Amino acid sequence: MASREVTPEEIAMIEELVKKAHAAQKILETYDQARIDRLCQAVAAAVCDMKVWAKLSDEAVDETALGDKVTKRNKRNKIKLILRDCLRQKSVGIIEELPEKGIVKYAKPAGVIASLVPTTNPCLTPAGQVVYAIKARDAIVCSPHPRAKNVTNKCINIIRETLKREGAPEDIIQGIPLPSIAASIELMKRCDLTIATGGRPMVKSAYSTGVPAYGSGAGNATVIIDDTCDTPERQHEAAENTRISKCSDFGSGCSCDGNLVIHESIYENIVKELVKEGAYLANAEEAEKIKKVMWDENGHRLPNTVAVSPQKLALTAGFEIPADRKFIAVTGGGINDIGKTHFFSSEKLTTLLALFKYEGEFENALDMMRKIFEVGGKGHSCGLYSFSDDHINRLGMAAPVSRIMIRQPNNRGNSGSAWNGMPPTSSMGCGTWGGNIVSENITLKHYMNTTWVARPMKKDMPSNEELFGDFNKPDMDEE
């Protein structure tokens, strides 16, 4: 992550922000569980009010030129889910007891968190993270993306005003007013923990500062639709799930469907259902034009077509599509059309979907899935529309990803939903596959330190015969 040298003025600014954050955190640390929970509710309510959130959504799109004002409004539901989970958990004093092991666990704050805020979620990320931070009794300093600094800081200021009204230190959350890469690196060096939500260079930079960090990985969300999707009702639902996932915020999220791997027996029916859901089927000539405006000759993603409407994507490529179309679909081909040189099998981050066809047994779909993740997105997520427990289990065993959604929209489900048990978040760890330390959603437990207190218990040590089995020797304990 290349950067200029940090200026003395930036260092002084960062030092002041962190100093204020530490002071605020020390006060927050004295609050009991009831007051902490009330603060979480107050902050979440302030930004979840649709009259507030709608304006922030519009301003985010206006400032960044990324995403969709209509579907960006739906992202407020993530804050409600985060609040739901926070209110159901303890974070002050004893949080868990295991009498059979003599273990009692106590929660402690992580301290001051540096949050690197992505341009695609300039308000959701700080709003969701501050609820977790308050619950854990942390303070948080946000480094907005330079392209979204105004709307991110506006969101932060709404939260600060709410904290002040509640008699809590407003410096529990702060934002860098004029962010830069250099300032972000300086911030990360001075905080106790970094949560980096964004691209691989940003995450690598966070890991290189010498401070503990949680990062997220790149996506290339791929959904297999198998031959159990064999009725009109199921085919409609599968296509509807894809439309919901593909179109959210103009496909800006890492979890938005990028590739469908469809069984040959239902391929044509699925395509028809996708058209009903708003797909525009690009022909070979149009697909080639799209490819040229999305990637350079080396396969690097070009920025001007990220998170744009399908109409704008088509116009940029040099053709027009009807105003009612919600996304563009291209024929990806078969297993021989997947790889680093086949750009449609890589991450899209816009309103484009690639359709791949697999033949015969389910193992062929798994082979295509593996090959797609060798192109990119390993560690992030995939999905499956299937009613076969065998197929679900086999994908679970085979997929090099941290999360798999079954018969539900990836974008809605990966980061937590009212319809599944995934922990709600806006930051998703992708394990060692994606260059991250955890392969789970970054949630409350990651914002806390935990002290384990162990009382003595009855001795628990099996005999050598039980431990070593066939490898036991009668004289193993003798020199």
Side-chain angles (χ1 to χ4, degrees), residues 439-465:
S439 55
E440 58 187 340
N441 291 356
I442 309 302
T443 55
L444 179 61
K445 69 178 182 179
H446 302 101
Y447 287 69
M448 300 189 298
N449 290 315
T450 305
T451 299
W452 293 48
V453 175
R455 288 175 169 81
M457 55 179 273
K458 183 180 177 182
K459 185 179 179 181
D460 180 15
M461 176 53 67
S463 68
N464 283 359
E465 289 82 5

Side-chain angles (χ1 to χ4, degrees), residues 375-430:
V375 177
K378 196 179 278 190
H380 199 281
S381 62
C382 65
L384 173 63
Y385 194 96
S386 174
F387 290 85
S388 165
D389 287 339
D390 174 63
H391 288 183
I392 294 169
N393 181 59
R394 287 164 65 187
L395 180 63
M397 294 287 286
V401 298
S402 303
R403 47 196 69 79
I404 299 174
M405 297 300 107
I406 306 299
R407 301 194 305 273
Q408 56 192 298
N410 266 346
N411 185 263
R412 181 182 288 176
N414 280 341
S415 56
S417 163
W419 293 273
N420 70 27
M422 296 295 291
T425 188
S426 60
S427 303
M428 288 177 278
C430 296

Side-chain angles (χ1 to χ4, degrees), residues 62-187:
D62 289 339
E63 185 177 1
T64 65
L66 296 172
D68 169 38
K69 292 180 179 180
V70 175
T71 52
K72 197 178 278 288
R73 281 161 163 73
N74 299 334
K75 291 187 172 184
R76 68 192 274 270
N77 292 324
K78 194 68 62 193
I79 304 167
K80 294 166 74 174
L81 286 165
I82 289 172
L83 178 63
R84 178 201 70 181
D85 274 24
C86 279
L87 294 176
R88 291 174 178 175
Q89 299 178 74
K90 295 178 181 178
S91 63
V92 179
I94 295 173
I95 58 171
E96 188 179 3
E97 296 183 74
L98 303 170
E100 71 281 4
K101 291 185 176 292
I103 296 291
V104 178
K105 300 180 186 179
Y106 295 78
K108 309 287 175 63
V112 175
I113 296 173
S115 169
L116 304 188
V117 182
T119 184
T120 50
N121 279 325
C123 296
L124 172 63
T125 297
Q129 287 183 348
V130 77
V131 177
Y132 276 137
I134 291 170
K135 181 72 179 188
R137 295 176 294 160
D138 298 324
I140 187 167
V141 182
C142 298
S143 178
H145 192 284
R147 190 170 162 182
K149 62 181 182 294
N150 294 329
V151 73
T152 298
N153 278 305
K154 182 171 183 177
C155 180
I156 289 169
N157 286 334
I158 291 168
I159 296 168
R160 286 171 60 84
E161 290 165 9
T162 304
L163 291 166
K164 190 175 181 179
R165 282 198 301 271
E166 287 297 310
E170 57 191 314
D171 291 333
I172 287 168
I173 184 169
Q174 300 172 84
I176 296 177
L178 294 173
S180 65
I181 294 173
S184 295
I185 293 172
E186 209 61 33
L187 173 67

